[in-house]
């Protein structure tokens, strides 16, 4: 993430390419194949610059063309799921560029904390190209507001997804799941203890590197954060309505173009 933050500083938002960028494997989902049709062509321009990624070829080449720190050079980034949730989401959100999120079906552990039009811009799954074109046109007309959306998302990733908080979340998640167990876990008689060294030794070079970087070297002086109480039904309903209304507002703005969004 530190490398991504450094890459984020290379090109200021106003100097970035004024289009929406996506790079990934379109073969894993129909929705991504549909996104490829939004690319610029002789027929017109939907304000999208999308590229197919061949991960097998990239792997053989050492992932030289997949450096995330070098991909924060467009004013807008597109997030679209594949066959399931995509791990790229947090990196896309961290780019200081407004993230155009194609209506998702899956949730990461942090995404319910994101607010449409504040942390990201919602994109219709059933009319991607027109929706993307409208979003980019809107952002280029309202540059300060667009920048604010991108900054809110990157700040969220930097501040709310610190590893200390992630470990706190993992602790509370396991603790709450443990309350649901209807049996007492017992260590099997022939169980073998696995230590950090034995795990890392079997890992490949890149896997080992990430393991070592994320390894906890010392216990924390403080305990985990306090788990906040759950939303009461009224507050939860208001939150859902606020999100739905924000998405609906964007759809109304899009419809206000009278269907005139053309490439």
């Amino acid at each position: 993430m530190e490398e991504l933050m450094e890459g984020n500083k290379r090109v200021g938002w106003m100097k970035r390419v004024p289009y929406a960028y996506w790079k990934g494997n379109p073969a894993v989902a129909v929705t991504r194949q549909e996104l490829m049709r939004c690319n610029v062509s002789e027929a017109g321009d939907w304000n999208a610059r999308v590229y197919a990624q061949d991960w097998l070829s990239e792997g053989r080449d050492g992932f030289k063309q997949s450096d995330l720190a070098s991909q924060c050079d467009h004013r807008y980034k597109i997030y679209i799921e594949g066959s399931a949730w995509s791990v790229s989401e947090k990196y896309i959100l961290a780019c200081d560029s407004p993230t155009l999120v194609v209506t998702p079906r899956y949730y990461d552990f942090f995404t319910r904390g994101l607010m449409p039009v504040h942390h990201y811009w919602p994109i219709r799954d059933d009319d991607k190209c027109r929706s993307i074109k409208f979003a980019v046109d809107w952002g280029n007309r309202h540059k300060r507001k667009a920048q604010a959306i991108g900054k809110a998302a990157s700040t969220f990733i930097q501040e709310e997804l610190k590893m200390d908080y992630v470990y706190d979340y993992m602790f509370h998640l396991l603790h709450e799941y443990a309350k649901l167990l209807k049996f007492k876990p017992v260590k099997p008689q022939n169980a073998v203890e696995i230590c950090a060294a034995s795990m890392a030794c079997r890992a490949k070079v890149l896997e080992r590197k990430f393991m070592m970087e994320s390894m906890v070297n010392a216990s924390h002086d403080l305990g985990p954060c306090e788990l906040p109480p759950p939303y009461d039904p009224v507050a939860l309903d208001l939150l859902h309505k606020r999100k739905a209304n924000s998405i609906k507002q964007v759809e109304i703005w899009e419809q206000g173009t009278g269907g005139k969004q053309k490439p």
Side-chain angles (χ1 to χ4, degrees), residues 79-229:
Y79 171 74
I80 184 169
E81 294 173 338
S83 56
W85 156 84
S86 174
V87 72
S88 65
E89 185 169 19
K90 59 181 176 293
Y91 302 112
I92 292 174
L93 288 164
C95 250
D96 266 4
S97 293
T99 300
L100 312 185
V101 177
V102 180
T103 307
R105 296 175 56 200
Y106 304 95
Y107 292 91
D108 200 347
F109 70 94
F110 65 87
T111 49
R112 286 184 173 87
L114 300 174
M115 184 62 63
V117 194
H118 177 68
H119 294 109
Y120 69 91
W121 187 275
I123 297 296
R124 294 169 59 100
D125 185 47
D126 59 353
D127 199 2
K128 298 178 186 64
C129 299
R130 294 182 191 279
S131 195
I132 289 170
K133 178 171 174 53
F134 177 85
V136 173
D137 285 343
W138 183 93
N140 287 336
R141 289 196 308 270
H142 304 84
K143 294 182 177 65
R144 288 188 179 181
K145 292 181 179 180
Q147 280 184 279
I149 294 172
K151 192 62 180 177
S154 60
T155 299
F156 179 92
I157 297 299
Q158 294 174 49
E159 298 298 326
E160 301 298 327
L161 292 188
K162 294 178 180 178
M163 282 310 301
D164 283 348
Y165 295 161
V166 173
Y167 285 132
D168 285 350
Y169 167 80
M170 292 167 64
F171 168 80
H172 285 300
L173 180 67
L174 293 172
H175 185 68
E176 293 301 312
Y177 268 122
K179 294 178 182 179
L180 303 177
L181 293 179
K182 297 181 179 180
F183 63 93
K184 182 178 180 180
V186 178
K187 183 173 68 175
Q189 186 175 0
N190 298 323
V192 177
E193 182 177 355
I194 297 177
C195 63
S198 63
M199 291 181 65
C201 286
R202 298 179 182 180
K204 296 180 180 179
V205 177
L206 195 57
E207 292 175 323
R208 187 183 304 121
K209 175 179 179 291
F210 292 145
M211 282 184 178
M212 299 307 293
E213 287 179 353
S214 62
M215 183 173 65
V216 177
N217 295 311
S219 59
H220 204 288
D221 293 334
L222 303 174
C225 65
E226 293 291 330
L227 188 66

Side-chain angles (χ1 to χ4, degrees), residues 50-98:
V50 296
Y51 305 89
Q53 176 76 291
D54 183 345
W55 286 111
L56 293 177
S57 176
E58 276 295 289
R60 290 192 294 268
D61 197 34
F63 300 99
K64 294 178 181 178
Q65 303 301 318
S66 303
D67 178 21
L68 291 170
S70 301
Q71 295 184 21
C72 291
D73 54 1
H74 286 67
R75 285 188 187 173
Y76 311 90
K77 299 291 293 289
I78 298 171
Y79 171 74
I80 184 169
E81 294 173 338
S83 56
W85 156 84
S86 174
V87 72
S88 65
E89 185 169 19
K90 59 181 176 293
Y91 302 112
I92 292 174
L93 288 164
C95 250
D96 266 4
S97 293

